[in-house]
Amino acid sequence: MGPEVRFHLLGPLTVTVGGRPLPLGGTKQRVLLAHLLLNANRMVPPGQLVDTIWPADPPTSATANLQTYVWRLRRLLPDGAALRTHGAGYSLAVDPGDVDAHRFTRLVGDAERAAKDGSPEKALTLLAEAEAMWLGDPLEDLPTAPAWDAELGRLVENRLAAVEERLALQVLLGRHDTAIAELTVLLAEHPYRERLWQQYLLALTGAGRRAEALQAYSTARERLVTELGVEPGPELRALQAAILAGEPLPGPSPVAVPAPLRQLPADLPDFTGREDHVRELAAALGPAPVVLTGAPGTGKSALAMHVAHRLADEFPDGQLYVDLAGTGAPRDPAEVLADFLHALGVTGNAVPAGLDQRAALLRSRLAGRRVLLVLDDAASASQVRPLLPGDAGCAVLVTTRGRLPDLAGAKHVELPVFGETDALRLLAGVAGADRVVGEPAEAAAIVRCCGYLPLAIRIAGARLAGRQAWSLRTLHDRLADESSRLSELRVGDLGVRPSFELSLRQLPASARTAFCRSAVLGAQDFPSWVVDALLDRGGAHEVLDVLVDANLVSLAGLDSGGHPRYRLHDLLRCYAAELLGAEPLATRRETLARVLSVLLALAKAAAAGLPPAFGAMTGPALGAPLPPGLTRLVADPLGWFTAERRLLAAAVPLAADAGLAELAWQLTAAAVPFYDLRGLYDDWRRGHLTALAAAEAAGDRAGAAVLHRGLGQVRLYHDEYAAAVADMERSAALFADLGDVRGEALAVAGLGTVARVRDRPRDALGFYRRALDGLGRAGDHSGVAQMRNSLGSTYALLGEFGEAETWLSRARELAREIEDPHREAKVLTELGTLHRDTGQLPESLTCLRLALSILEDLDDERCSAYALLGIGQTLLAAGEPVQARGVCDRALRVFRETGNRQGEKTGLELLEQAQRRRSPSAAARG
């Protein structure tokens, strides 16, 4: 065991190890430690720490400075504390028993139990020990921080409550004179705390000073009436009456405990699932408020009621409940406080007029009690703060559709939709288990149509329960149509749409507009820049924050580049689509065009950073240029395409269906370098076919020419030679009619490749020479290099090796001149093949290995596989079949993953040859 470690918050901030203070560094570093201790064992976001350390004007280096302070603290702190770094922030892991504030709370709780068990002397000793921990005001040596107000206020309130309890015990035990002296001082500081006045009157009366006790009551009443406008409470008035009448004073208990409060609505008899969340909430409830948040319809209120009923025995003084109507007309916290005070026995003029006075009186009434407050459907942190008790024995459970990040010290629990198992359990519980068991596939389809949202599932189950003649298939068929789904999810006065409407009604106009327009993308998650495009303005991130805080848009995670992505729950998307449908068609079309234009600009920028795909073309820029702030998104082009692959694929039919033919074909054409690099031939074909139909319907001949060229290429990859020729010829004819020399040349080059693959090298030479001429006239140097490469490889097929080497050397020279490493690597692959065919095996391996190195640096798996195949063939020719099999296996894996049947066929043939042969060294061993 190491030396004892103690953390002290109740006074100046100190850390002691073995009783000796630890040097903690400068003020900002001490503020950091204090904040982490106030949130011990909880993750704290970096932004919250920056705001606490620099509350007014954080420097530009704040994040870097914070990291430095964390590093220093980590070195300073003893083994009893672990300062951990999380992806989203920091946490200080400590034993609560090592923090004086936690020990104080525990001792006060022990004293309360001892007093209830009839051991006032023991309770008095425990309270004295607890008070001895206070060495001043909490963190009195540090600057004030707004984030600490609630927690430090709670600590101060709990200290005063403990002092009140100790004085009550002293009076109970007859130690009147000591109590009178201390009460006189406390009442000068806290003249409105009625419990202190009660103990003062009891102590004076017990000391035989009855007249002074009655005078003290008059003083108390005058202060309350004159300064707060309220009469003393019933307990204080009853005590004054007893003193006047000479009757026995209130009982032996230092605290008059009223009957338990039971305000909770009934628990749901068929409450289903949420076992993990029930345990989490039960464990989290304590001095800090717990905020249960989630989208509309997730069952927050039902879960809160269930947990509150389950924990009733842990709060023997009862439960207070209020519906704060946050999604309707939010209730005034002053009115709620009046209701709470009435429930606690404060009536009439005894209820103060002001909000702060009512809040203070509530804290006083709850002092020393164990009460659970359930604040349902809160609108904001400002609505909740006045309702919070100050006593550590009480707990608060808040439900809200939005997040309450500014409720200091709160613990937040987010409630998602159901998983499939719990969704089916709920459906069975409402509709009947036998019906769900009888049609399991339809039951699964119904909860899927409900988006696993508990409210929607309960409504669906209720509809089935009220229609015994219906099969589950009947309801599934009705829910299958998204356009009418929300209308079907209604029974009696319960409906999904009204629940959504309540949430949307609270939002500012810009957030409502962004929400409904987000439906233009269909069932896709999306990056944050989409909201700017939806609203046609920059800097709309605050609108997205509003939607996320309202739980109408959820964070779907991070993409491969570490950027956040967002989505709408399926039913919320249906609701957004309904709202969007009310907008004019032109507005909807313009909104979609703006979003897809930005997506296209990003795709073109990303494609420029990938190895070029020969024959890939896009049209002129559409819409506004790419905003400078978005260029960072395509810093990793391959990562961006990977992250946006699904959105790009979905964007093409969205554009086509909206009559945006040019956007449709440019989007799929811009993705060709990515599709080619990753062998995503299905995405390539599907997007091109969809866009081609739209382009032809719109009479867009340029788009049709580009798409036929792209389709011809992907069909060539699938060995569909006749179809590839038809597409290439159609493309060449369209480009010729348009006078596009380069486009026509690229299509003709494709015809040459088909001819070469079909073993018609003489035909291929004719096509390649035509293409070379056209590309030269068009000034396409990369295309010229490719044609020289193609001519060289074709001459090699004809056995004209000298001519082949000339063309290939000229191709490599041009590729290096224009600084195109990808083109150079492909030429090196062909040179490696040529050297192998002419018996120059070392030169072949040198070229192929250099090509492989370049291609792997470019992350081009498809072309790397061809280079590997060439290396395997050369190794086999050199009499090294074992090494040949190794590289051949690697190439085959890529060919299979990308669906390259021709490459796979060649690889299998090579593998079979290698397996039939043994290397010279193996033969010698045999």
Side-chain angles (χ1 to χ4, degrees), residues 116 195 198 234-235 253-262 315-320 340-346 364-371:
K116 288 182 178 179
R195 192 174 176 214
Q198 290 173 38
E235 293 174 359
S253 171
V255 184
V257 180
L261 302 159
R262 295 288 184 263
F315 298 93
D317 297 315
Q319 303 91 34
L320 289 169
F340 280 174
L341 291 171
H342 290 159
L344 291 164
V346 182
S364 297
R365 289 290 170 171
L366 293 177
R369 301 182 183 181
R370 291 188 57 79
V371 175

Side-chain angles (χ1 to χ4, degrees), residues 40 52 82 148 159 220 263 306 515 550 572 624 680 815 829:
T52 303
W148 299 350
R159 179 190 190 183
Q263 291 191 341
H306 184 72
F515 173 76
L572 281 166
L680 300 171
T829 303

Side-chain angles (χ1 to χ4, degrees), residues 488-566:
E488 293 293 337
L489 288 172
R490 182 168 193 131
V491 61
D493 60 354
L494 195 62
V496 172
R497 185 187 290 106
S499 178
F500 293 167
E501 288 171 349
L502 283 173
S503 289
L504 201 67
R505 198 179 300 156
Q506 310 304 310
L507 301 183
S510 58
R512 290 197 298 271
T513 301
F515 173 76
C516 77
R517 290 183 179 176
S518 63
V520 298
L521 290 176
Q524 301 299 319
D525 56 41
F526 55 88
S528 58
W529 60 259
V530 166
V531 178
D532 286 10
L534 293 175
L535 295 176
D536 196 18
R537 67 177 176 86
H541 55 272
E542 80 283 357
V543 174
L544 184 56
D545 290 343
V546 168
L547 292 171
V548 171
D549 286 344
N551 279 299
L552 291 172
V553 171
S554 59
L555 183 65
L558 302 177
D559 63 25
S560 54
H563 304 294
R565 300 189 71 80
Y566 302 88

Side-chain angles (χ1 to χ4, degrees), residues 95-430:
D95 182 343
D98 293 339
V99 183
D100 59 356
H102 290 278
R103 293 201 309 281
F104 169 78
T105 301
R106 188 189 66 215
L107 285 168
V108 170
D110 292 344
E112 180 184 349
R113 285 185 287 275
K116 288 182 178 179
D117 291 342
S119 303
E121 289 285 2
K122 180 181 178 181
L124 202 56
T125 300
L126 290 167
L127 287 170
E129 184 182 348
E131 285 184 63
M133 292 183 180
W134 286 79
L135 305 177
D137 292 333
L139 302 176
E140 65 181 16
D141 60 327
L142 295 178
T144 58
W148 299 350
D149 289 348
E151 183 63 16
L152 298 189
R154 183 185 68 81
L155 289 171
V156 170
E157 181 69 26
N158 288 352
R159 179 190 190 183
L160 185 54
V163 170
E164 287 180 340
E165 184 69 16
R166 174 177 55 76
L167 290 168
L169 287 167
Q170 287 178 331
V171 172
L172 176 70
L173 294 169
R175 301 169 190 175
H176 302 120
D177 292 339
T178 305
I180 289 168
E182 190 170 354
L183 283 164
T184 302
V185 175
L186 283 173
L187 282 168
E189 298 174 1
H190 307 283
Y192 309 124
R193 292 185 76 95
E194 292 193 31
R195 192 174 176 214
L196 288 177
W197 285 109
Q198 290 173 38
Q199 299 310 319
Y200 190 44
L201 266 63
L202 286 169
L204 288 170
T205 305
R209 297 159 65 178
R210 180 168 170 269
E212 291 179 56
L214 293 171
Q215 180 58 47
Y217 175 81
S218 297
T219 301
R221 181 180 180 281
E222 183 180 358
R223 296 291 297 269
L224 292 169
V225 171
T226 303
E227 298 175 23
L228 297 184
V230 299
E231 288 286 342
E235 293 174 359
L236 190 56
R237 294 201 306 271
L239 179 57
Q240 183 242 9
I243 295 171
L244 274 173
E247 296 174 354
L249 299 181
S253 171
V255 184
V257 180
L261 302 159
R262 295 288 184 263
Q263 291 191 341
L264 292 178
D267 191 9
L268 284 176
D270 57 356
F271 184 86
T272 302
R274 303 295 194 195
E275 288 84 0
D276 290 344
H277 287 91
V278 169
R279 285 191 291 270
E280 182 180 3
L281 288 171
L285 281 173
V290 178
V291 178
L292 179 60
T293 183
T298 49
K300 300 177 293 296
S301 297
L303 175 59
M305 294 310 109
H306 184 72
V307 170
H309 280 284
R310 181 168 174 168
L311 299 179
D313 291 343
E314 296 187 24
F315 298 93
D317 297 315
Q319 303 91 34
L320 289 169
Y321 169 84
V322 62
D323 179 357
L324 292 173
T327 49
R331 292 197 61 189
D332 184 339
E335 295 178 2
V336 176
L337 283 166
D339 289 346
F340 280 174
L341 291 171
H342 290 159
L344 291 164
V346 182
T347 59
N349 290 335
V351 176
L355 174 67
D356 292 343
Q357 291 84 358
R358 290 181 181 186
L361 185 55
L362 176 71
R363 292 194 294 271
S364 297
R365 289 290 170 171
L366 293 177
R369 301 182 183 181
R370 291 188 57 79
V371 175
L372 173 62
L373 288 80
V374 179
L375 311 179
D376 197 16
D377 194 18
S380 63
S382 61
Q383 188 188 30
V384 169
R385 286 192 200 99
L387 310 180
L388 299 179
D391 199 277
C394 295
V396 180
L397 179 55
V398 184
T399 75
T400 175
R401 295 191 182 194
R403 292 173 172 82
L404 305 180
D406 50 339
L407 189 60
K411 302 174 184 178
H412 297 269
V413 177
E414 186 152 358
L415 192 62
V417 297
F418 270 153
E420 185 177 44
T421 300
D422 282 342
L424 289 170
R425 283 173 57 195
L426 178 58
L427 184 67
V430 180

Side-chain angles (χ1 to χ4, degrees), residues 794-841:
T794 306
Y795 275 116
L797 286 175
L798 291 167
E800 299 179 26
F801 299 123
E803 191 77 8
E805 187 165 9
T806 298
W807 281 105
L808 290 173
S809 297
R810 290 177 64 195
R812 185 184 183 194
E813 179 184 345
L814 180 56
R816 298 181 77 172
E817 282 180 14
I818 63 176
E819 298 181 348
D820 186 344
H822 189 266
R823 182 68 57 213
E824 182 184 3
K826 296 185 76 171
V827 175
L828 284 167
T829 303
E830 294 297 338
L831 278 169
T833 302
L834 176 64
H835 290 319
R836 181 177 64 248
D837 292 344
T838 56
Q840 303 174 73
L841 301 185

